[in-house]
Amino acid sequence: MSELAITVIGHDRPGIVADVSEALARLGANLTDSTMTRLRGHFTWTLVCTGPAAPEADAALAPLAADGRLLATVREVGSEVEAAAAGEPYIMSVHGADRLGIVAAVTRVLAEAGGNITDLTTRLTGPLYVLVAEVDLPSGTADAVAKRLAEAAAGLDVEVTLRPAEMDVL
Amino acid sequence: MSPLHGWTPEALGDAGEVLPVVTAPDAVLSRPGPEVDPSDPKVVRLAADLLATMRVSPGCVGLAAPQVGVAAQVFVVDVSGHPKAATVHGAIALCNAKVVEASRWRPGREGCMSVPDLTGDVKRAARVVVEAALPGTGEPVRLTTDAFEARALQHEIDHCAGLLFLDRVAGAHAIHQRKVYL
């Protein structure tokens, strides 16, 4: 089955999630995975749903964006099959004084090592910049990646830690 | 009340049978289990079955009755050899367990055989006192433990109350796709 990737971003107010999900439910769209947060006060929701065609979903969401305070985009995507676990899960934390290029520099180190970022959050609060990422690293590469991250972090004057994302099965 | 040290699964006098593990959204996982009569032969049998099922499940350190489809306050735990364990009581089978003291709350990421595709960040007490009854004799026990064994006991006691780790995650972004299967 084909899937729709939808993003809704804009001025935050109570009721956006209810409005968007209700409009999609009326179309018979089945919400699967989604993640919503507020970024510097902007409402942001990225979601995947199955069911309707993209133009129908577009039309259903258009009234919500009519006042220009929300932007909704709809795109048909192929049904994604989750890639098999490629390596070992790690959590990288970076924090320090904000400056240009922190994300680019540290994520380039991960990419060059064949690491795949599976979750990422960045926040700027006052002068403090914080980045937390979950990354799958190829087996046995963590020590080398940690060393290269430390070098990159020293160049940016930020702190970086890389630790295993430990999970206990109970 | 007697201490639990020295208790062995053989005390159940039953080798137990390996049962299929049910997974969410099976309704039995969300139903509070009733208290049981620990001397009831059916309860002893259930405890033995839980032990047998835990033993054959890779990486499994605890299993509660709802996870084999029975709403009841019975579970087994064995964290022997786990790297995060400090105090270890070996194999434990308990009925009607209650946490009576809890302190030193710590976050940790948990996975569950009944929720195979997700993990979640859950705060649990790193030191607990649990009161319960032993299956078979019905003898009351008071168990003080810490670290990973404390987390495992709280996870299983939650199962008996119809709660999954999903009911206790730290926030909307505290559940994760599980990547590593044992």
Side-chain angles (χ1 to χ4, degrees), chain B residues 44-115:
Chain B
V44 177
R45 176 82 213 191
L46 174 61
D49 291 348
L50 288 170
L51 266 175
T53 307
M54 176 174 75
R55 291 283 183 238
V56 301
S57 307
C60 182
V61 296
L63 200 63
Q67 293 182 277
V68 297
V70 183
Q73 292 185 32
V74 183
F75 68 82
V76 296
V77 159
D78 187 355
V79 299
S80 304
H82 193 281
K84 288 189 186 165
T87 302
V88 174
H89 288 85
I92 305 167
L94 297 178
C95 301
N96 309 330
K98 303 264 182 303
V99 175
V100 295
E101 286 174 35
S103 56
R104 300 185 204 160
W105 296 81
R106 305 264 190 280
R109 188 169 292 187
E110 293 183 11
C112 175
M113 281 178 80
S114 294
V115 190

Side-chain angles (χ1 to χ4, degrees), chain A:
Chain A
M1 194 189 301
S2 76
E3 293 181 329
L4 298 181
I6 298 176
T7 60
V8 182
I9 185 162
H11 295 268
D12 192 33
R13 62 165 171 82
I16 301 175
V17 172
D19 291 348
V20 171
S21 52
E22 193 179 277
L24 292 170
R26 271 197 235 107
L27 286 181
N30 192 24
L31 289 194
T32 53
D33 291 9
S34 85
T35 181
M36 185 238 125
T37 192
R38 293 194 307 173
L39 301 178
R40 306 196 82 69
H42 302 285
F43 172 93
T44 62
W45 196 15
T46 310
L47 58 97
V48 168
C49 67
T50 57
E56 283 179 274
D58 241 341
L61 296 176
L64 298 173
D67 67 359
R69 295 173 67 81
L70 274 185
L71 174 68
T73 64
V74 179
R75 200 176 149 196
E76 195 152 330
V77 290
S79 182
E80 295 287 332
V81 179
E82 191 100 4
E88 300 159 347
Y90 282 82
I91 296 172
M92 178 182 74
S93 304
V94 180
H95 57 89
D98 185 33
R99 60 179 287 174
L100 196 67
I102 294 174
V103 179
V106 295
T107 59
R108 180 57 62 196
V109 171
L110 300 175
E112 283 173 355
N116 191 33
I117 294 170
T118 56
D119 233 318
L120 177 139
T121 296
T122 66
R123 298 278 170 179
L124 173 65
T125 175
L128 176 67
Y129 196 75
V130 181
L131 179 162
V132 180
E134 300 202 13
V135 55
D136 286 339
L137 291 176
S139 299
T141 62
D143 288 348
V145 171
K147 193 162 170 281
R148 296 195 49 215
L149 283 173
E151 288 161 9
L156 294 159
D157 202 19
V158 296
E159 305 299 319
V160 61
T161 55
L162 184 71
R163 61 200 158 84
E166 290 178 4
M167 191 260 301
D168 296 316
V169 187
L170 295 156

Side-chain angles (χ1 to χ4, degrees), chain B residues 14-31:
Chain B
D14 187 328
E17 186 187 341
V18 174
L19 300 176
V21 173
V22 302
T23 55
D26 194 303
V28 71
L29 293 169
S30 303
R31 203 154 67 224

Side-chain angles (χ1 to χ4, degrees), chain B:
Chain B
M1 288 195 190
S2 70
L4 198 72
H5 291 285
W7 184 84
T8 63
E10 287 71 36
L12 291 174
D14 187 328
E17 186 187 341
V18 174
L19 300 176
V21 173
V22 302
T23 55
D26 194 303
V28 71
L29 293 169
S30 303
R31 203 154 67 224
E35 286 203 1
V36 296
D37 170 2
S39 60
D40 182 341
K42 278 191 219 148
V43 169
V44 177
R45 176 82 213 191
L46 174 61
D49 291 348
L50 288 170
L51 266 175
T53 307
M54 176 174 75
R55 291 283 183 238
V56 301
S57 307
C60 182
V61 296
L63 200 63
Q67 293 182 277
V68 297
V70 183
Q73 292 185 32
V74 183
F75 68 82
V76 296
V77 159
D78 187 355
V79 299
S80 304
H82 193 281
K84 288 189 186 165
T87 302
V88 174
H89 288 85
I92 305 167
L94 297 178
C95 301
N96 309 330
K98 303 264 182 303
V99 175
V100 295
E101 286 174 35
S103 56
R104 300 185 204 160
W105 296 81
R106 305 264 190 280
R109 188 169 292 187
E110 293 183 11
C112 175
M113 281 178 80
S114 294
V115 190
D117 297 326
L118 296 172
T119 66
D121 300 324
V122 183
K123 215 171 188 183
R124 304 273 191 196
R127 185 187 172 280
V128 291
V129 178
V130 169
E131 288 182 357
L134 293 181
T137 62
E139 194 183 346
V141 287
R142 185 179 165 91
L143 175 66
T144 301
T145 192
D146 54 27
F148 190 56
E149 194 174 67
R151 181 171 286 269
L153 287 170
Q154 290 164 85
H155 182 105
E156 303 311 331
I157 290 170
D158 269 0
H159 271 305
C160 292
L163 295 173
L164 297 172
F165 74 82
L166 299 174
D167 296 303
R168 294 210 188 268
V169 286
H173 290 94
I175 61 163
H176 312 273
Q177 201 74 35
R178 185 162 164 191
K179 296 161 189 163
V180 181
Y181 292 89
L182 291 162

